[in-house]
Amino acid sequence: MSKVIPVILAVVLTGGAIAPVLLAHAAEPSAAGSKNAPVITASSTDVQKVGYSFGFLMGQGNKDAINDLDTEAFVAGFRDGYAGKTGKLTEEQMQATLMAYKQRRDAEEMQAIAKMGEENIKAGTAFLATNGKKPKVITTASGLQYEVLTAGTGISPKATDQVQVHYEGRMLDGTVFDSSIARNEPITFPLNQVIAGWTEGLQLMKEGGKTRLYIPSNLAYGESGAGEIPPNSLLIFDVELIKVNP
């Protein structure tokens, strides 16, 4: 097998990460299915412990990327390749197989993301409909909802100003995904370089005030989501406007 194939294998199965996927699951005791598989303990030889450590850590690190791997077939292929034997499939067949696998997994992932996005839109819409009826909650023309927790007495920022804030961001289920309060580190940024819900919402505040923003997904991260924030997520932020720098 050419030197290109290990790279292709890693890229195809992980979407670009060149982690040693070739070793993933190779040393899992259950994967080998061999009666001669050594029992690894702290007293095993260094060679055995190195082999097991590589296998365990690579398997653990890649189990989500390839969660339907036939480990028996994997180990058979690994042993043949490592021993320099002729592959049971040609390089072209392997490449085609892996590419088809990647395409199938990508399609499944896209379907799952789309379904999640639809569910999040419905949940967010239902929440806003109920939340907007609360007496202290105000809904703007854009669909942003906010609730003044503590009225400020200073100036209000413009979109072109820099602001210093403390904040905590939560998803609809209450999961905190970011918090300057927990870090005890206020953050300063240009107000026109954040999500639209923040740009609008903070202009409704005054220095020294605290407000809870209920931001619809179209004013947050939309269909793409961001990091651990799923697509079409409604976000809730508690924001303290500390200072405005015109």
Side-chain angles (χ1 to χ4, degrees):
M1 185 177 290
S2 73
K3 295 180 181 179
V4 176
I5 299 305
V7 176
I8 291 175
L9 178 59
V11 173
V12 166
L13 294 185
T14 66
I18 312 296
V21 178
L22 277 172
L23 294 178
H25 306 278
E28 290 181 3
S30 61
S34 171
K35 296 180 180 179
N36 298 322
V39 177
I40 304 299
T41 69
S43 301
S44 298
T45 67
D46 286 346
V47 170
Q48 289 175 323
K49 288 189 287 187
V50 166
Y52 180 81
S53 297
F54 264 113
F56 182 88
L57 293 175
M58 295 306 172
Q60 184 182 62
N62 289 284
K63 61 185 176 66
D64 293 330
I66 321 174
N67 58 13
D68 57 353
L69 182 67
D70 183 331
T71 53
E72 295 285 348
F74 177 90
V75 171
F78 179 83
R79 286 176 172 166
D80 284 351
Y82 194 78
K85 296 180 180 179
T86 300
K88 302 296 191 296
L89 302 174
T90 66
E91 292 185 9
E92 291 75 15
Q93 289 172 326
M94 293 182 197
Q95 291 180 19
T97 297
L98 295 175
M99 185 58 68
Y101 175 81
K102 181 181 185 301
Q103 291 171 344
R104 175 172 64 81
R105 290 292 298 270
D106 286 348
E108 292 171 351
E109 183 178 354
M110 291 301 295
Q111 290 174 356
I113 290 173
K115 182 179 179 181
M116 181 186 299
E118 292 173 0
E119 293 172 349
N120 287 341
I121 281 285
K122 292 179 181 178
T125 300
F127 173 84
L128 291 171
T130 300
N131 193 58
K133 297 176 182 178
K134 296 179 180 178
K136 294 184 178 181
V137 174
I138 300 171
T139 303
T140 71
S142 71
L144 172 72
Q145 293 183 352
Y146 70 97
E147 179 181 356
V148 176
L149 304 178
T150 302
T153 57
I155 63 173
S156 294
K158 300 185 296 295
T160 53
D161 291 339
Q162 289 220 355
V163 294
Q164 184 182 52
V165 302
H166 253 323
Y167 68 93
E168 180 173 271
R170 303 187 299 279
M171 289 186 269
L172 196 54
D173 64 0
T175 301
V176 176
F177 59 85
D178 194 11
S179 175
S180 70
I181 298 171
R183 294 190 296 270
N184 195 28
E185 295 178 355
I187 184 172
T188 301
F189 54 84
L191 191 52
N192 59 3
Q193 294 185 18
V194 290
I195 57 175
W198 268 64
T199 302
E200 178 183 353
L202 267 71
Q203 291 182 81
L204 302 171
M205 300 178 64
K206 295 182 182 295
E207 281 183 334
K210 295 181 181 180
T211 294
R212 180 164 295 156
L213 301 175
Y214 304 93
I215 304 179
S217 62
N218 64 303
L219 300 178
Y221 295 101
E223 295 181 352
S224 60
E228 63 184 279
I229 300 173
N232 292 332
S233 291
L234 179 145
L235 303 178
I236 302 171
F237 286 94
D238 286 349
V239 184
E240 176 185 3
L241 180 56
I242 299 172
K243 186 174 179 58
V244 176
N245 297 313

